[in-house]
């Protein structure tokens, strides 16, 4: 499994922790920054991660900022990106099963590292269920 990751300064420490966690599990990681806790703008990291998922360079994206909202909004500007802001494992599983989310977004300042790991595990072990959810997911990007 190949995953692009990114965060602003508020998500930096959690990103580093999750990068190591996923690499230890055998995931291939492309890290688009931030590379320190120096103040940075979340769209600068959302866009390269989203692009990497859009172009199928990676299978999924994993992004985080303080609340998760800003970086999630930026990622969802990309066609074909379904970024889901998840703060517990159940929401993360359902984001894959029902919404076919291809980017997992975390609120780094609002969850613990242990919670983040459980959310990441739930997201990457769930599959899209298809069926009745397919038409709904298709309607997301048909809106204009
Ligand atoms: C940074 O202070 C913070 O605003 C950012 O990480 C995020 O929470 C925005 O949505």
């Amino acid at each position: 499994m190949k995953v692009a990751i990114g965060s602003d300064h508020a998500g930096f420490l959690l990103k580093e922790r999750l990068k190591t966690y996923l690499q230890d599990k055998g995931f291939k990681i492309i890290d688009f920054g931030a590379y320190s806790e120096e103040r940075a703008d979340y769209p600068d990291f959302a866009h390269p991660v989203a692009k990497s998922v859009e172009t199928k360079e990676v299978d999924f994206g994993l992004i985080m900022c303080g609340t998760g909202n800003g970086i999630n909004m930026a990622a969802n500007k990309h066609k074909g990106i379904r970024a889901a802001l998840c703060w517990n494992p159940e929401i993360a599983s359902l984001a894959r099963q029902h919404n076919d989310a291809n980017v997992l977004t975390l609120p780094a300042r609002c969850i613990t590292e242990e919670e983040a790991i459980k959310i990441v595990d739930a997201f990457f072990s769930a599959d899209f269920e298809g069926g009745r959810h397919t038409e709904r997911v298709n309607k997301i990007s048909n809106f204009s």
Side-chain angles (χ1 to χ4, degrees):
M1 181 96 73
K2 215 167 166 185
V3 176
I5 63 171
S7 74
D8 68 355
H9 55 292
F12 171 72
L13 291 177
L14 182 59
K15 173 175 69 66
E16 293 302 295
R17 175 74 183 90
L18 294 176
K19 179 166 67 172
T20 306
Y21 176 72
L22 290 173
Q23 281 170 335
D24 288 349
K25 284 179 73 124
F27 285 61
K28 294 228 179 328
I29 303 292
I30 302 179
D31 185 353
F32 286 100
Y35 303 112
S36 77
E37 286 187 276
E38 193 180 326
R39 194 160 6 144
D41 301 332
Y42 51 78
D44 295 341
F45 311 100
H47 293 310
V49 169
K51 196 86 204 162
S52 180
V53 175
E54 265 182 318
T55 60
K56 304 200 187 308
E57 182 186 17
V58 294
D59 303 299
F60 291 102
L62 172 59
I63 53 179
M64 58 219 78
C65 65
T67 61
N69 270 322
I71 203 161
N72 196 56
M73 289 175 188
N76 274 321
K77 291 292 177 189
H78 290 249
K79 197 170 186 290
I81 292 299
R82 291 176 301 281
L85 175 56
C86 300
W87 57 93
N88 71 36
E90 186 188 2
I91 293 170
S93 298
L94 288 169
R96 286 289 305 123
Q97 291 165 352
H98 290 189
N99 312 117
D100 200 15
N102 50 16
V103 175
L104 169 60
T105 309
L106 297 173
R109 285 180 174 157
C110 309
I111 55 173
T112 64
E113 273 187 13
E114 291 66 32
E115 286 170 329
I117 284 170
K118 286 182 188 152
I119 294 167
V120 162
D121 280 342
F123 185 86
F124 289 118
S125 61
D127 293 314
F128 182 49
E129 286 177 357
R132 70 187 190 280
H133 302 294
T134 303
E135 203 179 335
R136 295 167 185 171
V137 168
N138 288 340
K139 283 184 177 181
I140 294 172
S141 51
N142 283 346
F143 184 77
S144 62

